[in-house]
Amino acid sequence: MASELYTSFLIKNPSPSERIKTGKSLRKVVSRSSIGKFHPERNRQSPVDILLAQAKKRIPEYIPIRHARMSADPFSFYRGGAAIMAKDLSNTPSPPITVQLCGDMHVSNFGFFSTTEHQLVFGINDFDETLPGNFDWDLKRLVASAMIASQLLGKDQIYGELIVRNICSTYRKYLHLYAAMSFIDLKRTYIHEKALKAAAAKYANSISKKYLNKLLNKARKNNNQGLIGKITEVTPNGIRLIEKPPLIEHLTLSNHGTDIAALNDESLNSYIDSLAADRRYLLLRYKWIDWARKVVGVGSVGTACWVLYFEGRDVNDPLFLQAKEAQKSVLSSFFPDTEYATEGARVVHGQCLIQGAPDLFLGFGKTSEIDFYIRQLRDMKGGISIGGDGINADVFPDFAKLFGWALANAHARAGDAAMLAGYCGKSEVLDDALVNFSIAYSKQNQSDYETFLQAIQSGKISCASNHF
């Protein structure tokens, strides 16, 4: 049977040039210029109602914190509004070229991470909403975020257009490069430190180079040892996670009234079964010391997230894992999601496809209450932020190219680079369309943000007194 299936696959396996031609032919089905169009539905669902529906499936006491973080500015609101945009995207023209979508693609969902070989690489770093779907959904969400982030930095529309064009042109450029690679070579292709520095030396300005080096150095220091003293304290019983309500809390009962210790035992046993034998053996050499529930992110606030603290050889050999609840993807109403046994399996499967060499301890499990996935809390991880100490207007144009590169790498890994390259082409037609989309959707996001603030003021939506 296996040989018959493989033979059948070979017969149906078209050449790269044929796949490029297929991609081009899809322009007749959905033109590249048409994907730049955005017109909200006449009876468009209120963004407030979508957020309230999400809140029903989350931890009640954390919902005001989520809303407070989203209320900070239009970009923060956009970060938490993946479900709002998914509903909007379902009514836009979309070419039927499937990739493993990030599902919540925006400029703050990139960063540095360590491969299983402890190599520092750059790529997408959030997969809670991942699901197979049409490639342009990621691209549209990314470029809209870029326009909104440009506004957050106090820049005008012309600057925002530059950022969007840098993303799109680099995305197209790398798709054509990846389309010419063998599948094995593509699997081994990462945006690693050496490649980053080489690209920066050739294309980036001096400010961007300096900021890149700062991010690389910071990511290298983000390790298990570096968390000691930051989220732990010394107690008479040894090192324990700090208690900092409502952001970090030791609980005895879950929100459903289940004993936490028993629930955690159930979760760890389920998680261990998902690991390869060698990683299971490695984890079992560590002793589980403490656990606490922790608030993380913007969009994720309200889902259960736990920090697990382990000790290996001694207190100088710490291991911190993060267990995150995995709920239905916001894309699940629009694309098939039936192939996954659990939502945690969906997240891990998507991350493995997109990243290629993810966290050493990445795995998933299920308890009587939730689906979840687990990864290291810090293992040379470093995120991207906008404004403040993060990306500023001087470095954004260069980093926009890096974002386009990373998205092309992800889509090529988890889709058909040749078909994508054929559709996207080498001209600026796609770039022009996505500039139009980013402008239109940034205006929609601003309107939704104002509606959201009005709902807070009226009391329809709960909101904490600070942004924590």
Side-chain angles (χ1 to χ4, degrees), residues 182 238 454 464:
S182 72
Q454 291 169 6

Side-chain angles (χ1 to χ4, degrees), residues 363-374:
F364 59 89
K366 183 180 180 67
T367 72
S368 56
E369 294 188 0
I370 63 170
D371 293 355
F372 65 90
Y373 67 97
I374 288 181

Side-chain angles (χ1 to χ4, degrees), residues 186-252:
L186 180 56
K187 176 69 174 176
R188 293 170 176 159
T189 300
Y190 306 103
I191 306 177
H192 51 71
E193 187 172 351
K194 184 177 178 180
L196 279 171
K197 289 186 174 180
K202 192 172 182 179
Y203 301 112
N205 64 44
S206 59
I207 301 174
S208 297
K209 292 174 189 175
K210 184 177 179 180
Y211 184 61
L212 174 63
N213 285 328
K214 177 184 175 181
L215 291 176
L216 288 167
N217 292 332
K218 183 178 179 181
R220 274 191 289 268
K221 294 175 183 177
N222 278 342
N223 53 36
N224 286 297
Q225 194 67 48
L227 285 169
I228 296 294
K230 289 187 177 180
I231 64 169
T232 67
E233 60 184 355
V234 178
T235 74
N237 296 318
I239 294 176
R240 296 292 185 270
L241 296 166
I242 62 173
E243 181 77 11
K244 190 179 179 181
L247 301 183
I248 305 178
E249 299 178 285
H250 291 83
L251 304 174
T252 56

Side-chain angles (χ1 to χ4, degrees), residues 27-46:
R27 298 175 191 172
K28 297 177 181 178
V29 179
V30 178
S31 70
R32 288 173 295 174
S33 59
S34 73
I35 68 173
K37 297 176 181 178
F38 173 71
H39 303 289
E41 285 185 294
R42 182 175 299 177
N43 296 316
R44 182 173 180 261
Q45 186 177 5
S46 165

Side-chain angles (χ1 to χ4, degrees), residues 400-425:
K401 296 174 185 177
L402 182 54
F403 300 153
W405 182 4
L407 185 59
N409 184 270
H411 284 179
R413 285 179 173 280
D416 189 324
M419 190 178 294
L420 288 165
Y423 181 85
C424 294

Side-chain angles (χ1 to χ4, degrees), residues 107-388:
V107 293
S108 285
N109 266 350
F110 293 96
F112 298 92
F113 62 93
S114 173
T115 68
T116 50
E117 293 80 22
H118 221 229
Q119 181 184 29
L120 189 61
V121 298
F122 183 86
I124 299 171
N125 65 1
D126 190 305
F127 304 93
D128 288 351
E129 310 298 347
T130 186
L131 205 67
N134 295 356
F135 84 96
D136 63 301
W137 283 44
D138 270 352
L139 204 49
K140 287 174 178 174
R141 183 152 174 78
L142 177 57
V143 297
S145 79
M147 183 62 72
I148 295 164
S150 297
Q151 295 162 359
L152 181 67
L153 294 174
K155 306 303 288 185
D156 60 17
Q157 185 172 296
I158 294 175
Y159 177 91
E161 288 184 22
L162 168 68
I163 300 301
V164 171
R165 289 185 183 280
N166 282 0
I167 289 172
C168 295
S169 62
T170 310
Y171 176 80
R172 290 187 295 101
K173 169 188 170 183
Y174 277 95
L175 282 179
H176 284 280
L177 289 174
Y178 293 141
M181 285 186 178
S182 72
F183 295 140
I184 290 178
D185 285 344
L186 180 56
K187 176 69 174 176
R188 293 170 176 159
T189 300
Y190 306 103
I191 306 177
H192 51 71
E193 187 172 351
K194 184 177 178 180
L196 279 171
K197 289 186 174 180
K202 192 172 182 179
Y203 301 112
N205 64 44
S206 59
I207 301 174
S208 297
K209 292 174 189 175
K210 184 177 179 180
Y211 184 61
L212 174 63
N213 285 328
K214 177 184 175 181
L215 291 176
L216 288 167
N217 292 332
K218 183 178 179 181
R220 274 191 289 268
K221 294 175 183 177
N222 278 342
N223 53 36
N224 286 297
Q225 194 67 48
L227 285 169
I228 296 294
K230 289 187 177 180
I231 64 169
T232 67
E233 60 184 355
V234 178
T235 74
N237 296 318
I239 294 176
R240 296 292 185 270
L241 296 166
I242 62 173
E243 181 77 11
K244 190 179 179 181
L247 301 183
I248 305 178
E249 299 178 285
H250 291 83
L251 304 174
T252 56
L253 296 176
S254 74
N255 281 71
H256 296 86
T258 307
D259 178 71
I260 289 293
L263 200 63
N264 281 339
D265 283 341
E266 180 187 359
S267 68
L268 195 63
N269 287 331
S270 175
Y271 159 66
I272 287 173
D273 287 341
S274 75
L275 296 176
D278 61 324
R279 301 179 192 190
R280 187 183 312 140
Y281 172 79
L282 176 60
L283 179 64
L284 291 175
R285 300 190 74 179
Y286 283 81
K287 181 181 179 181
W288 194 2
I289 302 296
D290 196 15
W291 58 84
R293 194 169 73 183
K294 187 177 187 296
V295 175
V296 294
V298 177
S300 295
V301 177
T303 56
C305 179
W306 293 80
V307 176
L308 315 176
Y309 170 59
F310 299 77
E311 290 177 355
R313 185 182 63 245
D314 52 34
V315 294
N316 297 312
D317 183 18
L319 172 64
F320 293 88
L321 298 182
Q322 180 188 57
K324 287 190 72 178
E325 180 180 1
Q327 297 187 345
K328 281 278 188 183
S329 167
V330 296
L331 307 182
S332 62
S333 297
F334 314 107
F335 297 109
D337 69 339
T338 55
E339 65 179 284
Y340 308 102
T342 69
E343 296 304 321
R346 170 185 60 78
V347 173
V348 169
H349 173 73
Q351 184 168 347
C352 288
L353 278 175
I354 291 171
Q355 283 190 337
D359 194 295
L360 182 66
F361 289 107
L362 182 66
F364 59 89
K366 183 180 180 67
T367 72
S368 56
E369 294 188 0
I370 63 170
D371 293 355
F372 65 90
Y373 67 97
I374 288 181
R375 60 187 178 185
Q376 289 186 80
L377 181 59
R378 281 194 185 179
D379 184 34
M380 298 207 307
K381 290 183 173 70
I384 297 289
S385 60
I386 303 294

